[in-house]
């Protein structure tokens, strides 16, 4: 049964609490585009992560004699844009169209007909996609061909796109502030070799999180150009013990700042975790923070028996989230 404009405004919040209940009373012309029943509720399936300005629906094609359109209410601020003349509803803020945080978006549209002012409720049900695949650009192909557990080398721009667009991001290994500080002095020459290291600087992996990306900075003076044995390590025990491999070995890479994404992490950490790495090369360190601690052990090991206090932290960083946003 159709609702009047006044009743619709009074019951919109109640309707949102009902969840997926949708009442739709409409009929169409032969081309399936025009409805003759007024004050209806329309449900639209729509892919998440659209671009700004992407079309959602054209109200003038749905309703005969409709004109002078206005967007009177939307469930999420700035989600939609409505053209007052054409009745074309488009995406205004693409970040709102995120399945993991906003699976259902609602717009209430007011319009004029020869019978007076009417309203239409549009419910946009988002479809879940692999957000990592969507936001990658040059690395999409290799990501699609890779297997779960593979680390894929990506560009700095792709890493930053994931960092800025995926939801509920936490920085692990080093905080954003710690990693982004300009390095002063020479790199740490003592640990230029085969070591497992873990920073003890407060940048832990939150409980319930999935680690999905990693970057680190290799000093340019290392003699080894094709680095092929670096391994990401995670401990659920402590920053000094119980480290296990996360995913496979990092793909072969060279010196400089290198970026990676992990495909298909299906297992969140049940407790607070700690991020380390096995390296067989030189990694930049940062001594800007007084009192920092790191643990290390020779070779690719699980327990780190040695400690360095009031020195430097290794310049590596992981991205984690409590919301799984990939296939």
């Amino acid at each position: 049964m159709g609702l009047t404009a006044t009743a619709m405004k009074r019951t919109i919040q109640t309707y949102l609490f009902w969840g997926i209940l949708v009442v739709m009373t409409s009929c169409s012309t032969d081309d399936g585009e025009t409805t003759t029943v007024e004050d209806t509720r329309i449900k639209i399936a729509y892919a998440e992560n659209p671009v700004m300005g992407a079309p959602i629906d054209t109200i003038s094609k749905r309703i005969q004699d409709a004109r002078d359109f206005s967007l009177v209410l939307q469930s999420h601020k700035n989600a939609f844009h409505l053209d007052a003349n054409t009745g074309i509803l488009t995406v205004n803020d693409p970040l709102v169209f995120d399945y993991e945080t906003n699976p259902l978006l609602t717009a209430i549209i007011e319009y004029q007909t020869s019978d007076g002012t009417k309203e239409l409720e549009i419910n946009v049900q988002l479809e879940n996609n692999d957000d990592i695949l969507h936001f990658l650009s040059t690395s999409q192909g290799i990501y699609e061909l890779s297997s779960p557990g593979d680390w894929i080398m990506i560009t700095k721009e792709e890493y930053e796109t994931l960092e800025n667009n995926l939801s509920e991001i936490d920085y692990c290994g080093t905080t954003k502030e710690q990693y982004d500080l300009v390095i002063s002095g020479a790199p740490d020459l003592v640990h230029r070799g085969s070591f497992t290291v873990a920073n003890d600087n407060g940048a832990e992996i939150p409980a319930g999180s999935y680690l999905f990306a990693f970057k680190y900075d290799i000093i340019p003076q290392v003699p080894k150009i094709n680095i092929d044995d670096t391994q990401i390590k995670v401990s659920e025990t402590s920053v000094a013990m119980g480290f296990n491999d996360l995913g496979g070995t990092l793909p072969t890479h060279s010196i400089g700042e290198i970026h990676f994404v992990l495909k298909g992490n299906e297992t969140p950490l049940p407790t607070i975790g700690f991020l380390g790495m096995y390296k067989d090369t030189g990694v930049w360190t940062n001594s800007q923070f007084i009192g920092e601690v790191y643990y290390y052990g020779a070779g690719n090991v699980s327990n780190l028996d040695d400690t360095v206090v009031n020195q430097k932290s290794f310049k590596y960083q992981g991205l984690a989230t409590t919301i799984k946003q990939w296939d």
Side-chain angles (χ1 to χ4, degrees), residues 15-36:
Y15 174 73
L16 290 177
F17 290 146
W18 294 345
I20 61 173
L21 178 63
V22 176
V23 178
M24 184 173 177
T25 56
S26 61
C27 58
S28 301
T29 60
D30 292 340
D31 61 6
E33 293 184 340
T34 304
T35 177
T36 59

Side-chain angles (χ1 to χ4, degrees), residues 47 78 137 216:
N78 298 324
S137 51
Y216 80 120

Side-chain angles (χ1 to χ4, degrees), residues 185-298:
D188 185 357
L189 301 180
V190 175
H191 291 123
R192 181 188 290 203
S194 176
F195 286 88
T196 301
V197 297
N199 293 328
D200 186 8
N201 52 16
E204 300 166 344
I205 307 172
S209 292
Y210 304 84
L211 192 78
F212 69 91
F214 181 85
K215 68 178 179 180
Y216 80 120
D217 204 354
I218 309 165
I219 62 177
Q221 296 91 343
V222 299
K224 190 173 183 178
I225 301 301
N226 294 318
I227 302 162
D228 58 5
D229 50 8
T230 304
Q231 181 70 58
I232 309 307
K233 317 278 284 187
V234 172
S235 172
E236 300 171 17
T237 304
S238 76
V239 71
M241 300 180 63
F243 280 93
N244 294 304
D245 295 346
L246 179 65
T249 303
L250 295 186
T252 301
H253 52 282
S254 188
I255 60 177
E257 185 180 70
I258 314 295
H259 305 77
F260 306 90
V261 68
L262 177 63
K263 182 169 182 177
N265 186 356
E266 298 286 339
T267 308
L269 290 180
T271 62
I272 290 175
F274 306 90
L275 179 63
M277 65 179 297
Y278 164 69
K279 66 180 191 66
D280 191 18
T281 184
V283 180
W284 280 105
T285 58
N286 203 327
S287 58
Q288 298 293 311
F289 289 86
I290 302 301
E292 288 200 351
V293 177
Y294 65 81
Y295 292 81
Y296 67 96

Side-chain angles (χ1 to χ4, degrees), residues 138-208:
T138 58
S139 305
Q140 275 191 343
I142 189 170
Y143 179 86
E144 288 188 287
L145 294 174
S146 298
S147 301
D150 287 347
W151 286 98
I152 298 107
M153 189 158 56
I154 60 176
T155 66
K156 177 180 180 180
E157 291 73 21
E158 289 175 312
Y159 183 95
E160 291 175 348
T161 298
L162 296 175
E163 177 184 4
N164 294 328
N165 286 279
L166 268 63
S167 301
E168 305 295 332
I169 295 296
D170 286 290
Y171 297 92
C172 318
T174 54
T175 66
K176 186 172 178 60
E177 180 187 14
Q178 290 164 339
Y179 189 94
D180 290 345
L181 276 177
V182 175
I183 296 173
S184 65
D188 185 357
L189 301 180
V190 175
H191 291 123
R192 181 188 290 203
S194 176
F195 286 88
T196 301
V197 297
N199 293 328
D200 186 8
N201 52 16
E204 300 166 344
I205 307 172

Side-chain angles (χ1 to χ4, degrees), residues 48-49 94-103 126 131 167 325:
E48 68 170 330
N49 303 317
L95 295 180
V96 177
F97 287 72
D98 177 29
Y99 174 87
E100 286 76 19
T101 55
N102 305 316
L126 296 181
D131 289 2
S167 301
Q325 298 161 66

